[in-house]
Amino acid sequence: MLQLKNIKKDYVVGGLPVPALNGISLEFQKNEFVSILGASGSGKTTMLNIIGGLDRYTSGDLLVDGKSTQDFSDNDWDAYRNATIGFVFQSYNLISHLSVLDNVEMALRLSGVAAKERKERAVKVLTEVGLVDHINKKPNQLSGGQMQRVAIARALVNNPMILLADEPSGALDSKTSHQIMELIKSISKDRLVIMVTHNAEMAHEFSDRIVQLVDGRVVDDTRPVQIKSGAVVSDKLLNKKTSMSYLTALKTSFKNLLTKKGRTLITAIAGSIGIIGIALVLSISTGMTSYVDEMQSDTLAGFPLTVSSIVSTNIFAGPRQGMEDLGVSDGSFIDDPIIYSYDEISNTTLHTNIFSDDFLSYLDQMDTTLYNSISYTRSISLNIIAETSAGGYTKIISDTSMNPFSSAGTVLNEIPNSPEFIQSQYDILAGQYPVAYNQLVLIVDSQNQLDVSILEALGISVEENYTFDDFIGKSFKIIPNDVYFNSLGSTFIPGTDYEAMYTDADAVTISIVGILRVNEDASTELLSTGIGYTTYLTDYMIAMDSTSDIVVAQEASPTVNVLTGLPFNTQLTYDMTMRAIGGDSTPTGVQIYPVSFDSKDEIKSYLDAYNVGLDEVDTIVYTDLAETISATISTLISTITIILAAFAGISLVVSSIMIGIITYVSVVERTKEIGIMRSLGARKKDISRIFNAETVLIGFSSGVIGVLIAILLNIPVNIIINRLIGVPGFSTLNLTSAIGLIVLSTILTLVAGLVPSGIAARRDPVVALRTE
C-alpha cells in the first residue's frame, strides 16, 4: 500500500546541498509492524517525516495505494496527513492547554466531524487505550505512559491507514515502554505501523520486519515485499479535505489564553487604553451634542423661518465678473500693481419672492400644530405723533439705529399675531396684553431697561428710573393720510404742524396698556425693546388709508410718484410707494415661528413642496437663521470630536501594535503546537486562523474592558460637569458607539496580528516539532 521509489532528500547548509536520503526504495503492505533502525544521522526520522508528509522529498516518488504524490499541493498533503497518517512522537507532542479529550478530538475537528460523533469516537479510542477516566485532565496531570497513550489515541481516532511512531518509548521506563509497545503491536493488526527506534532489542521483539539504514541508504530489510500493481487508490486519500472552523480556532485560542490569564488580562487592559480615550471623547461629545441640541431647541426654536420680498441667494465667492479675461480664474492674489473696478451688484444674485394669493392661501392651509404663529410684515408707514414731557409734539421715528454701535432696535414693532405664544415667552409686569387695534405694549429687557434713544424718540424726558405708572396709559396719536398729507397740485407733502395733527378729531388715539418682559424660561427674546402694536392696528390703518386722497391720486398716476412728483425708478417703485401709504395690503415678508426644531423641518418640507414644478422666478426662497447657527455649532463640535478622537486613536494604534508584538511572542511560544497541528493535517490557513482568533479575542476583550472602564469613568466626569454647569448625566456613551468601539478594537488587533499569524502559518512543521 506504500511505496518509496528512489527517494532522495537534500538539505541546503551554507548554500551547499547535504544529502540526508540517498535513493531509498521500499515497499510496505497493510497490517505489518515495521521498525526502522539506524544510528543517529542515518536518515530514519527524515524518512519518517517524508512518509508522513511533514517534509518533502527532493526527488523520487512516494506512492500510497498506487497514488503518486509528486503533484500534491499543500492542501493535498494536509488532507493526506489528516486522513492517512497518524503520528506518535517520543515527546508525546500534546497541546498543553487542551484537555485529553480535546487533544484527541483535534484531528476530527480538522476533518469536519460533527460534535456529537467527534466526542463518541474520541471517548471510544480513549477507552481502548485505558484512559476513559482521564478525559477531562490536562496533559501535565498525566504520567509519561498516560501521555503516550493519549498521543496514540489521537493518532488512531481518525482511523488512519498508516501509524508512524518516532521513538514512542524513548522517554518511558522499561515497564511502561513494554506496555506501549504491546499496544502498538496490537494496532498493527489493523494497519501499517512504521516505527523509528534506536532500541534494536525491542524492535526485534515486537516488529514483523526490520529495515536498517546507514547514511541515508537501506542496507538491510528482513522481509522485503513486492506490492502488486493495479492497486485501487483510496477515496479517503483523494477526497478528504481538512478545514478548521472559526469556532474551533476561537476555542483553541481561548483555552490557550486561559493558561496565561495574567498576561492576557494585562495585554487586554493595555490594549483598552485607546478605547477608553475614544469612548470618553465620544461620551462627552454625545453629551455636548445633546446639550447643544437642547440649547438650540430652546434658544433657536424661536428664530422664525423668514420669507422676505427680496433675498440674496448667491454672493459671488470666486473671481469677480470679468476677471477671467485678465487671466485670473481661481480667486488667487494678484501681484500686478493694478486696481480693477467691478460692480458689486452685478455679482450678487437677488431673488424676488412673489406673495401671490396662491402662496398666501397655501400658508393658511399649513398644519397649525407645526407653528406658534405666522406673522405678516406690511410696509405701511405709521405716522405717529407723541406729546413730549415738555409740552411739545414730536413725530416718532421708528428707526433709532443711526449709531452702528447701539444695541437699540426699532421703536415701533408689530407683535406676531399669536398671543398665547408671546405670553408663554413673556411676563406681563403691569397692565394687560393688547387685544385691540388701539392698544400698545411696552417691551423692556430682562433687567427692565429701555435704551435712552427709545425714550427720546417717544418724547419722554430721560431720567434714571421710572415706575410702571409712568408708562401705563401713555397715549400717542396716529395721523391718517388725509390729515398728515397736504395736497399741492398733483403732489402730496407731509405736514409739519404736529400739534394741529395731534389735536385733529380724525387722529387715532393709541395707548400703552401693558408692560412685557421676557421670562426666564423663554427660548429667545422674540420682541425688540420699545413699543409693540398688534396686527389689528396695521389692518385698521390700511383699511382707513386705502381710500385716502393720496392713495386715490397714486392709483390714478401709476408712473409718477405723488410724493416727489418724479417718475418711478428701480429704487423706488409704484408698489413700494403704495404699500408705504397704505394702498396695498400685500405682505412684504412672512415670519413663521415653529413649535420646535422638528416641526421647523416639517415646515421647510412644506414650503419646498410649494416650489415643486414652478419656474425659478415663481419659487419661494426662505431664510433659516437657526439652521445656519446650528450647522456652525454642529461643525465645531464635530471638528473638536474628530481632533480629540484622533489623539486618542494614536494610543489605540500603539496598543494594537503592542498586541501584534505580543501575538508574535505567542507564535514563538506556541511553535511546537504549530508543528503538532500541522502533523494532524492543519493547513497553513488553519494555523493563521488560530492566531487571528487569538488577536480577535484579545481585541474584543480590550474593547469590552475599555467600554466598561469608560462607563465607570463617566460617573466622576458627570459629577464634575454637573457641579460646573448643572447638567446631570452629561457624559453618556450610547450603545451604538460602545458596540462600534468594540468592533473597532477587534478589527485593529486583528489587522495588527496578521503579520505574526502569517509568520506562524509559514513555519516549517518539522522544525516546529523540534522546538522546545
PDB file of all heavy atoms in Angstrom, residues 569-597:
ATOM      1  N   ASN A 569     -38.610 104.676 -10.346  1.00  0.00           N
ATOM      2  CA  ASN A 569     -37.391 104.030 -10.849  1.00  0.00           C
ATOM      3  C   ASN A 569     -37.206 102.682 -10.126  1.00  0.00           C
ATOM      4  O   ASN A 569     -38.073 102.239  -9.380  1.00  0.00           O
ATOM      5  CB  ASN A 569     -36.166 104.934 -10.636  1.00  0.00           C
ATOM      6  CG  ASN A 569     -36.065 105.413  -9.191  1.00  0.00           C
ATOM      7  OD1 ASN A 569     -36.211 104.624  -8.258  1.00  0.00           O
ATOM      8  ND2 ASN A 569     -35.841 106.717  -9.006  1.00  0.00           N
ATOM      9  N   THR A 570     -36.055 102.066 -10.386  1.00  0.00           N
ATOM     10  CA  THR A 570     -35.823 100.724  -9.805  1.00  0.00           C
ATOM     11  C   THR A 570     -35.649 100.780  -8.296  1.00  0.00           C
ATOM     12  O   THR A 570     -35.897  99.794  -7.602  1.00  0.00           O
ATOM     13  CB  THR A 570     -34.581 100.091 -10.438  1.00  0.00           C
ATOM     14  OG1 THR A 570     -33.453 100.971 -10.269  1.00  0.00           O
ATOM     15  CG2 THR A 570     -34.802  99.815 -11.922  1.00  0.00           C
ATOM     16  N   GLN A 571     -35.201 101.945  -7.782  1.00  0.00           N
ATOM     17  CA  GLN A 571     -35.019 102.049  -6.337  1.00  0.00           C
ATOM     18  C   GLN A 571     -36.331 102.379  -5.621  1.00  0.00           C
ATOM     19  O   GLN A 571     -36.523 102.001  -4.470  1.00  0.00           O
ATOM     20  CB  GLN A 571     -33.966 103.130  -6.000  1.00  0.00           C
ATOM     21  CG  GLN A 571     -32.522 102.679  -6.165  1.00  0.00           C
ATOM     22  CD  GLN A 571     -32.122 102.546  -7.613  1.00  0.00           C
ATOM     23  OE1 GLN A 571     -32.510 103.369  -8.449  1.00  0.00           O
ATOM     24  NE2 GLN A 571     -31.369 101.489  -7.924  1.00  0.00           N
ATOM     25  N   LEU A 572     -37.191 103.103  -6.249  1.00  0.00           N
ATOM     26  CA  LEU A 572     -38.467 103.493  -5.642  1.00  0.00           C
ATOM     27  C   LEU A 572     -39.563 103.218  -6.660  1.00  0.00           C
ATOM     28  O   LEU A 572     -39.758 103.959  -7.617  1.00  0.00           O
ATOM     29  CB  LEU A 572     -38.445 104.984  -5.271  1.00  0.00           C
ATOM     30  CG  LEU A 572     -39.643 105.480  -4.460  1.00  0.00           C
ATOM     31  CD1 LEU A 572     -39.759 104.732  -3.147  1.00  0.00           C
ATOM     32  CD2 LEU A 572     -39.518 106.995  -4.197  1.00  0.00           C
ATOM     33  N   THR A 573     -40.278 102.128  -6.433  1.00  0.00           N
ATOM     34  CA  THR A 573     -41.277 101.673  -7.397  1.00  0.00           C
ATOM     35  C   THR A 573     -42.685 102.064  -6.972  1.00  0.00           C
ATOM     36  O   THR A 573     -42.914 102.507  -5.847  1.00  0.00           O
ATOM     37  CB  THR A 573     -41.206 100.147  -7.554  1.00  0.00           C
ATOM     38  OG1 THR A 573     -41.592  99.543  -6.316  1.00  0.00           O
ATOM     39  CG2 THR A 573     -39.793  99.678  -7.925  1.00  0.00           C
ATOM     40  N   TYR A 574     -43.592 101.874  -7.878  1.00  0.00           N
ATOM     41  CA  TYR A 574     -45.009 102.152  -7.611  1.00  0.00           C
ATOM     42  C   TYR A 574     -45.511 101.266  -6.469  1.00  0.00           C
ATOM     43  O   TYR A 574     -46.201 101.751  -5.553  1.00  0.00           O
ATOM     44  CB  TYR A 574     -45.821 101.909  -8.886  1.00  0.00           C
ATOM     45  CG  TYR A 574     -47.318 101.946  -8.698  1.00  0.00           C
ATOM     46  CD1 TYR A 574     -48.006 103.170  -8.688  1.00  0.00           C
ATOM     47  CD2 TYR A 574     -48.050 100.770  -8.526  1.00  0.00           C
ATOM     48  CE1 TYR A 574     -49.383 103.221  -8.505  1.00  0.00           C
ATOM     49  CE2 TYR A 574     -49.434 100.811  -8.340  1.00  0.00           C
ATOM     50  CZ  TYR A 574     -50.092 102.036  -8.329  1.00  0.00           C
ATOM     51  OH  TYR A 574     -51.457 102.082  -8.132  1.00  0.00           O
ATOM     52  N   ASP A 575     -45.198  99.964  -6.520  1.00  0.00           N
ATOM     53  CA  ASP A 575     -45.680  99.051  -5.485  1.00  0.00           C
ATOM     54  C   ASP A 575     -45.157  99.442  -4.109  1.00  0.00           C
ATOM     55  O   ASP A 575     -45.885  99.378  -3.109  1.00  0.00           O
ATOM     56  CB  ASP A 575     -45.248  97.606  -5.811  1.00  0.00           C
ATOM     57  CG  ASP A 575     -45.971  97.057  -7.031  1.00  0.00           C
ATOM     58  OD1 ASP A 575     -47.070  97.569  -7.334  1.00  0.00           O
ATOM     59  OD2 ASP A 575     -45.448  96.111  -7.656  1.00  0.00           O
ATOM     60  N   MET A 576     -43.882  99.823  -4.039  1.00  0.00           N
ATOM     61  CA  MET A 576     -43.292 100.203  -2.756  1.00  0.00           C
ATOM     62  C   MET A 576     -43.995 101.420  -2.174  1.00  0.00           C
ATOM     63  O   MET A 576     -44.296 101.493  -0.971  1.00  0.00           O
ATOM     64  CB  MET A 576     -41.791 100.480  -2.933  1.00  0.00           C
ATOM     65  CG  MET A 576     -40.974  99.234  -3.285  1.00  0.00           C
ATOM     66  SD  MET A 576     -39.275  99.624  -3.780  1.00  0.00           S
ATOM     67  CE  MET A 576     -38.661 100.415  -2.304  1.00  0.00           C
ATOM     68  N   THR A 577     -44.271 102.375  -3.020  1.00  0.00           N
ATOM     69  CA  THR A 577     -44.933 103.600  -2.560  1.00  0.00           C
ATOM     70  C   THR A 577     -46.362 103.311  -2.107  1.00  0.00           C
ATOM     71  O   THR A 577     -46.815 103.808  -1.065  1.00  0.00           O
ATOM     72  CB  THR A 577     -44.941 104.648  -3.682  1.00  0.00           C
ATOM     73  OG1 THR A 577     -43.589 104.925  -4.083  1.00  0.00           O
ATOM     74  CG2 THR A 577     -45.594 105.937  -3.210  1.00  0.00           C
ATOM     75  N   MET A 578     -47.082 102.505  -2.841  1.00  0.00           N
ATOM     76  CA  MET A 578     -48.455 102.174  -2.481  1.00  0.00           C
ATOM     77  C   MET A 578     -48.508 101.437  -1.142  1.00  0.00           C
ATOM     78  O   MET A 578     -49.399 101.682  -0.311  1.00  0.00           O
ATOM     79  CB  MET A 578     -49.094 101.312  -3.571  1.00  0.00           C
ATOM     80  CG  MET A 578     -49.482 102.093  -4.827  1.00  0.00           C
ATOM     81  SD  MET A 578     -50.802 103.307  -4.485  1.00  0.00           S
ATOM     82  CE  MET A 578     -52.214 102.212  -4.308  1.00  0.00           C
ATOM     83  N   ARG A 579     -47.542 100.548  -0.896  1.00  0.00           N
ATOM     84  CA  ARG A 579     -47.528  99.844   0.390  1.00  0.00           C
ATOM     85  C   ARG A 579     -47.229 100.815   1.524  1.00  0.00           C
ATOM     86  O   ARG A 579     -47.802 100.724   2.610  1.00  0.00           O
ATOM     87  CB  ARG A 579     -46.475  98.732   0.369  1.00  0.00           C
ATOM     88  CG  ARG A 579     -46.827  97.578  -0.570  1.00  0.00           C
ATOM     89  CD  ARG A 579     -45.839  96.427  -0.419  1.00  0.00           C
ATOM     90  NE  ARG A 579     -46.042  95.409  -1.436  1.00  0.00           N
ATOM     91  CZ  ARG A 579     -45.157  95.079  -2.366  1.00  0.00           C
ATOM     92  NH1 ARG A 579     -43.993  95.710  -2.419  1.00  0.00           N
ATOM     93  NH2 ARG A 579     -45.438  94.143  -3.254  1.00  0.00           N
ATOM     94  N   ALA A 580     -46.321 101.779   1.287  1.00  0.00           N
ATOM     95  CA  ALA A 580     -45.933 102.711   2.342  1.00  0.00           C
ATOM     96  C   ALA A 580     -47.085 103.628   2.749  1.00  0.00           C
ATOM     97  O   ALA A 580     -47.240 103.974   3.928  1.00  0.00           O
ATOM     98  CB  ALA A 580     -44.736 103.542   1.884  1.00  0.00           C
ATOM     99  N   ILE A 581     -47.925 104.009   1.804  1.00  0.00           N
ATOM    100  CA  ILE A 581     -49.020 104.948   2.123  1.00  0.00           C
ATOM    101  C   ILE A 581     -50.319 104.214   2.455  1.00  0.00           C
ATOM    102  O   ILE A 581     -51.367 104.844   2.642  1.00  0.00           O
ATOM    103  CB  ILE A 581     -49.245 105.942   0.964  1.00  0.00           C
ATOM    104  CG1 ILE A 581     -49.645 105.200  -0.323  1.00  0.00           C
ATOM    105  CG2 ILE A 581     -47.992 106.796   0.744  1.00  0.00           C
ATOM    106  CD1 ILE A 581     -49.936 106.127  -1.502  1.00  0.00           C
ATOM    107  N   GLY A 582     -50.238 102.870   2.529  1.00  0.00           N
ATOM    108  CA  GLY A 582     -51.420 102.116   2.933  1.00  0.00           C
ATOM    109  C   GLY A 582     -52.364 101.758   1.823  1.00  0.00           C
ATOM    110  O   GLY A 582     -53.515 101.399   2.095  1.00  0.00           O
ATOM    111  N   GLY A 583     -51.919 101.812   0.590  1.00  0.00           N
ATOM    112  CA  GLY A 583     -52.801 101.497  -0.517  1.00  0.00           C
ATOM    113  C   GLY A 583     -52.700 100.056  -0.984  1.00  0.00           C
ATOM    114  O   GLY A 583     -53.415  99.661  -1.903  1.00  0.00           O
ATOM    115  N   ASP A 584     -51.798  99.260  -0.378  1.00  0.00           N
ATOM    116  CA  ASP A 584     -51.615  97.871  -0.795  1.00  0.00           C
ATOM    117  C   ASP A 584     -51.367  97.037   0.456  1.00  0.00           C
ATOM    118  O   ASP A 584     -50.420  97.280   1.204  1.00  0.00           O
ATOM    119  CB  ASP A 584     -50.422  97.762  -1.756  1.00  0.00           C
ATOM    120  CG  ASP A 584     -50.283  96.369  -2.348  1.00  0.00           C
ATOM    121  OD1 ASP A 584     -51.019  95.448  -1.915  1.00  0.00           O
ATOM    122  OD2 ASP A 584     -49.416  96.179  -3.224  1.00  0.00           O
ATOM    123  N   SER A 585     -52.230  96.070   0.701  1.00  0.00           N
ATOM    124  CA  SER A 585     -52.101  95.248   1.916  1.00  0.00           C
ATOM    125  C   SER A 585     -51.283  93.983   1.686  1.00  0.00           C
ATOM    126  O   SER A 585     -51.171  93.145   2.578  1.00  0.00           O
ATOM    127  CB  SER A 585     -53.500  94.855   2.411  1.00  0.00           C
ATOM    128  OG  SER A 585     -54.183  94.091   1.424  1.00  0.00           O
ATOM    129  N   THR A 586     -50.698  93.819   0.484  1.00  0.00           N
ATOM    130  CA  THR A 586     -49.879  92.625   0.219  1.00  0.00           C
ATOM    131  C   THR A 586     -48.670  92.605   1.150  1.00  0.00           C
ATOM    132  O   THR A 586     -47.955  93.615   1.277  1.00  0.00           O
ATOM    133  CB  THR A 586     -49.392  92.618  -1.236  1.00  0.00           C
ATOM    134  OG1 THR A 586     -50.526  92.685  -2.106  1.00  0.00           O
ATOM    135  CG2 THR A 586     -48.592  91.361  -1.537  1.00  0.00           C
ATOM    136  N   PRO A 587     -48.399  91.488   1.810  1.00  0.00           N
ATOM    137  CA  PRO A 587     -47.246  91.420   2.728  1.00  0.00           C
ATOM    138  C   PRO A 587     -45.933  91.605   1.986  1.00  0.00           C
ATOM    139  O   PRO A 587     -45.804  91.276   0.806  1.00  0.00           O
ATOM    140  CB  PRO A 587     -47.345  90.015   3.318  1.00  0.00           C
ATOM    141  CG  PRO A 587     -48.752  89.586   3.093  1.00  0.00           C
ATOM    142  CD  PRO A 587     -49.173  90.227   1.811  1.00  0.00           C
ATOM    143  N   THR A 588     -44.975  92.128   2.687  1.00  0.00           N
ATOM    144  CA  THR A 588     -43.610  92.231   2.156  1.00  0.00           C
ATOM    145  C   THR A 588     -42.691  91.226   2.826  1.00  0.00           C
ATOM    146  O   THR A 588     -41.507  91.131   2.480  1.00  0.00           O
ATOM    147  CB  THR A 588     -43.047  93.642   2.387  1.00  0.00           C
ATOM    148  OG1 THR A 588     -43.086  93.941   3.786  1.00  0.00           O
ATOM    149  CG2 THR A 588     -43.840  94.662   1.607  1.00  0.00           C
ATOM    150  N   GLY A 589     -43.218  90.498   3.772  1.00  0.00           N
ATOM    151  CA  GLY A 589     -42.418  89.486   4.456  1.00  0.00           C
ATOM    152  C   GLY A 589     -43.311  88.611   5.312  1.00  0.00           C
ATOM    153  O   GLY A 589     -44.396  89.021   5.733  1.00  0.00           O
ATOM    154  N   VAL A 590     -42.849  87.380   5.532  1.00  0.00           N
ATOM    155  CA  VAL A 590     -43.576  86.439   6.374  1.00  0.00           C
ATOM    156  C   VAL A 590     -42.591  85.829   7.360  1.00  0.00           C
ATOM    157  O   VAL A 590     -41.476  85.438   6.984  1.00  0.00           O
ATOM    158  CB  VAL A 590     -44.235  85.313   5.541  1.00  0.00           C
ATOM    159  CG1 VAL A 590     -44.966  84.327   6.462  1.00  0.00           C
ATOM    160  CG2 VAL A 590     -45.175  85.892   4.507  1.00  0.00           C
ATOM    161  N   GLN A 591     -42.999  85.776   8.635  1.00  0.00           N
ATOM    162  CA  GLN A 591     -42.189  85.129   9.662  1.00  0.00           C
ATOM    163  C   GLN A 591     -43.009  83.977  10.252  1.00  0.00           C
ATOM    164  O   GLN A 591     -44.097  84.194  10.782  1.00  0.00           O
ATOM    165  CB  GLN A 591     -41.778  86.086  10.786  1.00  0.00           C
ATOM    166  CG  GLN A 591     -40.837  87.201  10.347  1.00  0.00           C
ATOM    167  CD  GLN A 591     -41.575  88.342   9.660  1.00  0.00           C
ATOM    168  OE1 GLN A 591     -42.660  88.718  10.094  1.00  0.00           O
ATOM    169  NE2 GLN A 591     -41.003  88.860   8.590  1.00  0.00           N
ATOM    170  N   ILE A 592     -42.461  82.759  10.114  1.00  0.00           N
ATOM    171  CA  ILE A 592     -43.145  81.572  10.638  1.00  0.00           C
ATOM    172  C   ILE A 592     -42.382  81.100  11.866  1.00  0.00           C
ATOM    173  O   ILE A 592     -41.202  80.749  11.776  1.00  0.00           O
ATOM    174  CB  ILE A 592     -43.202  80.455   9.578  1.00  0.00           C
ATOM    175  CG1 ILE A 592     -43.823  80.978   8.272  1.00  0.00           C
ATOM    176  CG2 ILE A 592     -43.985  79.259  10.099  1.00  0.00           C
ATOM    177  CD1 ILE A 592     -43.744  79.997   7.119  1.00  0.00           C
ATOM    178  N   TYR A 593     -43.046  81.095  13.015  1.00  0.00           N
ATOM    179  CA  TYR A 593     -42.413  80.711  14.264  1.00  0.00           C
ATOM    180  C   TYR A 593     -42.736  79.244  14.561  1.00  0.00           C
ATOM    181  O   TYR A 593     -43.857  78.925  14.968  1.00  0.00           O
ATOM    182  CB  TYR A 593     -42.899  81.597  15.410  1.00  0.00           C
ATOM    183  CG  TYR A 593     -42.465  83.041  15.264  1.00  0.00           C
ATOM    184  CD1 TYR A 593     -43.210  83.939  14.501  1.00  0.00           C
ATOM    185  CD2 TYR A 593     -41.310  83.505  15.864  1.00  0.00           C
ATOM    186  CE1 TYR A 593     -42.812  85.260  14.350  1.00  0.00           C
ATOM    187  CE2 TYR A 593     -40.895  84.829  15.730  1.00  0.00           C
ATOM    188  CZ  TYR A 593     -41.655  85.699  14.970  1.00  0.00           C
ATOM    189  OH  TYR A 593     -41.256  87.007  14.829  1.00  0.00           O
ATOM    190  N   PRO A 594     -41.770  78.330  14.363  1.00  0.00           N
ATOM    191  CA  PRO A 594     -42.049  76.895  14.558  1.00  0.00           C
ATOM    192  C   PRO A 594     -42.203  76.547  16.037  1.00  0.00           C
ATOM    193  O   PRO A 594     -41.656  77.225  16.913  1.00  0.00           O
ATOM    194  CB  PRO A 594     -40.826  76.204  13.951  1.00  0.00           C
ATOM    195  CG  PRO A 594     -39.737  77.223  14.045  1.00  0.00           C
ATOM    196  CD  PRO A 594     -40.391  78.567  13.904  1.00  0.00           C
ATOM    197  N   VAL A 595     -42.924  75.475  16.278  1.00  0.00           N
ATOM    198  CA  VAL A 595     -43.111  74.999  17.643  1.00  0.00           C
ATOM    199  C   VAL A 595     -41.817  74.401  18.189  1.00  0.00           C
ATOM    200  O   VAL A 595     -41.477  74.569  19.355  1.00  0.00           O
ATOM    201  CB  VAL A 595     -44.240  73.945  17.675  1.00  0.00           C
ATOM    202  CG1 VAL A 595     -44.326  73.280  19.044  1.00  0.00           C
ATOM    203  CG2 VAL A 595     -45.565  74.581  17.322  1.00  0.00           C
ATOM    204  N   SER A 596     -41.069  73.687  17.325  1.00  0.00           N
ATOM    205  CA  SER A 596     -39.834  73.027  17.747  1.00  0.00           C
ATOM    206  C   SER A 596     -38.911  72.890  16.545  1.00  0.00           C
ATOM    207  O   SER A 596     -39.275  73.230  15.417  1.00  0.00           O
ATOM    208  CB  SER A 596     -40.138  71.645  18.323  1.00  0.00           C
ATOM    209  OG  SER A 596     -40.684  70.803  17.313  1.00  0.00           O
ATOM    210  N   PHE A 597     -37.703  72.351  16.817  1.00  0.00           N
ATOM    211  CA  PHE A 597     -36.780  72.115  15.717  1.00  0.00           C
ATOM    212  C   PHE A 597     -37.330  71.093  14.738  1.00  0.00           C
ATOM    213  O   PHE A 597     -37.157  71.216  13.527  1.00  0.00           O
ATOM    214  CB  PHE A 597     -35.421  71.642  16.274  1.00  0.00           C
ATOM    215  CG  PHE A 597     -34.358  72.694  16.157  1.00  0.00           C
ATOM    216  CD1 PHE A 597     -34.601  73.983  16.600  1.00  0.00           C
ATOM    217  CD2 PHE A 597     -33.119  72.393  15.614  1.00  0.00           C
ATOM    218  CE1 PHE A 597     -33.628  74.959  16.490  1.00  0.00           C
ATOM    219  CE2 PHE A 597     -32.148  73.366  15.502  1.00  0.00           C
ATOM    220  CZ  PHE A 597     -32.405  74.652  15.945  1.00  0.00           C
TER     221      PHE A 597
END
